[in-house]
Amino acid sequence: MWRIMLPASLQSMVNMGVGILGTVMVGGLGETAIAAASLGNQFVFFFMICCFGVGGGAMVMTSQYMGKGDIPAVKQVITLAIRIILVFAFLFTLVTFFVPQGIMRIYTPEADVIAVGALYLQIIAFQFIFMGLGTTLAIIGRSFGVVRVPLIASVLSFAAAAFFNWVFIFGNLGAPRMEIAGAALATVIARFIEFAVVAGYLFFAEKRVRYRLKDLLKPCGQLIPEYLRIGSPVIIGDLILAFGTTALAMIWGWLGSAMAAANAIIMVATQLAGVFIMGMSNASSIMVGTAIGENDLQKAEARGFTYLLLSAVLGLISSVAILIFTPILLIFYDIEPETLLILDGLMWAMVAAMPFHVISNVLTKGVLRGGGDTKFLMVADVLFMWVASIPLGYLAGFVLFLSPFWIAVLLRVDLLIKSIWCIIRMWQKKWLHVVKSV
């Protein structure tokens, strides 16, 4: 677990840092810039969820095929995943570059935030192909032991993001002062570096699976039915989840720039506090999937319940971390007293929600996904967000005009319901499914 979890967690932390860094470094430019960068990154996060869906669906299959020792099948899955993510990346690039103002209007009605965010999005559009391939290949690679290289790639990417943000946002070393446009340009450069390292290693140096550029051109059609059975529910579920996340961001944006700015800050704190969530999810998915591939369902079940216990402990630790990180982050932001008051309410709401956030994430993105229970997850991931969190959050914010604390609590109530529902699923022992051999 630690061999997979630590590098994956550190990579997740550094990878998130690339996106967070720009938001933090524009913090001194005022609340409009903070809100614009944060809301613009919500659309980027939408694409990131697509990457998690494509890579996660593929990882379910590659983990089990590695357990069976079926390397040719692993190569076919990688080829299929690359082709799918390239289609998504191309579409996102076109939409983001040509209709950035339309995207920003989804999240906010404020003209100044729309104008600044549109400029940010037009530049950030050029990262999607690099980001899509780098993220998807890193997720799949973990299933056959490639854990250090993505971490190294993310560290180099973060260092590049920090340097180029400093250069372009503030106009250092003779560069023009680009402000929020500089943050976008720095992010594109950082994503390219990350992609180059990960893809370069997998295509030219990795020795266990030995996937090479020539494999991109080989047929993989015989795997499509099995990928549709196992992987498509992951992609569909994550896409609908992404739409739900967009709806939540719209609620925050339409509540005003002060609310959007406060939420942006608390989300940075949440991401820092939850740095080990992605690593634990990846480790649980791979270890459960490998046990199933070895045809040891008892071991897979035991691992699943172990990760349930570990996620509960990690959730409590993450809640405490939010209380620590939030005051520290305020050093980097120039915000009004009203925003500070809103932020306090959001912080306590997130402290209460964090244990359920961790449990639901590890079970849905890790244990149950590794068990191949992807159709159930397609429902579990999205049902309660759309029937509970979104309508209740809208009601709290725009009809009842409740305090920021209660708006935030109701917008995250799906995490509690989903955690309970997934635990029941595990006790029913219906979540273990074997991927068919090709």
Side-chain angles (χ1 to χ4, degrees):
M1 180 191 75
W2 287 109
R3 184 179 62 83
I4 300 169
M5 178 178 167
L6 283 180
S9 296
L10 291 173
Q11 186 209 351
S12 176
M13 178 182 68
V14 179
N15 202 21
M16 286 188 300
V18 174
I20 291 172
L21 195 60
T23 304
V24 172
M25 292 185 76
V26 301
L29 302 177
E31 292 183 2
T32 298
I34 298 171
S38 173
L39 294 174
N41 278 325
Q42 287 296 325
F43 191 71
V44 177
F45 181 67
F46 186 92
F47 177 72
M48 180 69 80
I49 291 181
C50 295
C51 297
F52 291 158
V54 174
M59 188 172 69
V60 173
M61 299 178 68
T62 55
S63 296
Q64 293 200 24
Y65 286 139
M66 288 302 297
K68 298 174 187 288
D70 191 346
I71 301 299
V74 173
K75 289 185 175 183
Q76 290 185 45
V77 174
I78 296 173
T79 299
L80 190 57
I82 289 174
R83 293 175 182 178
I84 293 171
I85 202 61
L86 281 175
V87 172
F88 276 112
F90 182 69
L91 293 175
F92 269 82
T93 301
L94 289 179
V95 172
T96 308
F97 183 78
F98 288 107
V99 289
Q101 290 187 336
I103 293 170
M104 288 303 300
R105 287 192 186 97
I106 295 173
Y107 297 106
T108 178
E110 299 187 21
D112 54 345
V113 178
I114 291 172
V116 175
L119 174 62
Y120 180 80
L121 282 174
Q122 269 199 314
I123 299 172
I124 214 91
F126 294 99
Q127 76 164 333
F128 287 120
I129 290 177
F130 307 134
M131 182 182 182
L133 287 172
T135 303
T136 303
L137 289 173
I139 292 171
I140 298 172
R142 292 182 194 126
S143 65
F144 48 87
V146 181
V147 291
R148 293 181 182 177
V149 172
L151 173 59
I152 294 170
S154 293
V155 170
L156 293 174
S157 176
F158 182 82
F163 174 73
F164 288 111
N165 269 302
W166 176 75
V167 170
F168 294 126
I169 291 176
F170 306 109
N172 290 306
L173 299 181
R177 181 182 172 92
M178 299 174 66
E179 298 190 347
I180 195 170
L185 179 59
T187 301
V188 174
I189 295 171
R191 293 299 184 192
F192 171 76
I193 292 172
E194 182 181 32
F195 153 75
V197 175
V198 172
Y201 178 79
L202 284 175
F203 292 155
F204 300 105
E206 195 275 327
K207 299 186 183 303
R208 190 174 181 189
V209 172
R210 294 183 178 273
Y211 188 89
R212 298 295 180 257
L213 286 173
K214 63 182 180 180
D215 292 312
L216 283 168
L217 303 177
K218 292 183 178 179
C220 56
Q222 60 181 329
L223 261 183
I224 292 177
E226 190 62 9
Y227 187 86
L228 290 176
R229 185 179 75 87
I230 296 294
S232 62
V234 177
I235 298 174
I236 293 170
D238 280 3
L239 280 174
I240 300 174
L241 182 64
F243 281 117
T245 304
T246 299
L248 295 177
M250 288 170 59
I251 292 175
W252 288 116
W254 282 82
L255 285 170
S257 59
M259 191 75 84
N263 185 60
I265 296 170
I266 200 63
M267 291 313 297
V268 171
T270 301
Q271 288 174 323
L272 291 172
V275 64
F276 289 105
I277 299 175
M278 184 62 69
M280 184 174 284
S281 297
N282 274 258
S284 61
S285 179
I286 292 168
M287 291 180 69
V288 168
T290 303
I292 294 175
E294 295 168 351
N295 202 32
D296 192 341
L297 299 186
Q298 186 176 0
K299 182 196 290 185
E301 185 179 5
R303 287 177 173 179
F305 278 101
T306 300
Y307 275 106
L308 170 59
L309 177 61
L310 290 172
S311 67
V313 174
L314 180 59
L316 294 174
I317 295 172
S318 299
S319 289
V320 175
I322 289 176
L323 294 174
I324 296 172
F325 287 133
T326 304
I328 296 174
L329 283 171
L330 291 177
I331 299 171
F332 301 96
Y333 290 94
D334 178 20
I335 59 175
E336 301 294 330
E338 176 195 359
T339 307
L340 188 61
L341 187 62
I342 293 170
L343 178 64
D344 184 69
L346 301 189
M347 179 187 70
W348 287 107
M350 202 61 228
V351 167
M354 199 65 183
F356 306 108
H357 173 63
V358 178
I359 291 171
S360 63
N361 200 294
V362 170
L363 293 187
T364 58
K365 300 297 182 289
V367 174
L368 298 182
R369 179 175 287 185
D373 201 18
T374 54
K375 290 182 180 178
F376 170 82
L377 292 175
M378 184 173 62
V379 178
D381 259 342
V382 301
L383 176 63
F384 302 116
M385 175 179 283
W386 284 99
V387 303
S389 288
I390 292 173
L392 287 175
Y394 179 87
L395 184 68
F398 297 102
V399 179
L400 300 177
F401 303 105
L402 298 181
S403 68
F405 171 82
W406 286 110
I407 295 173
V409 166
L410 291 173
L411 283 172
R412 294 176 174 87
V413 72
D414 64 305
L415 301 175
L416 168 62
I417 305 171
K418 186 162 59 175
S419 297
I420 296 171
W421 206 35
C422 287
I423 292 170
I424 292 173
R425 179 72 171 182
M426 290 182 65
W427 280 108
Q428 291 175 336
K429 300 185 178 182
K430 297 179 180 179
W431 57 284
L432 297 169
H433 304 270
V434 180
V435 173
K436 297 176 182 177
S437 299
V438 293

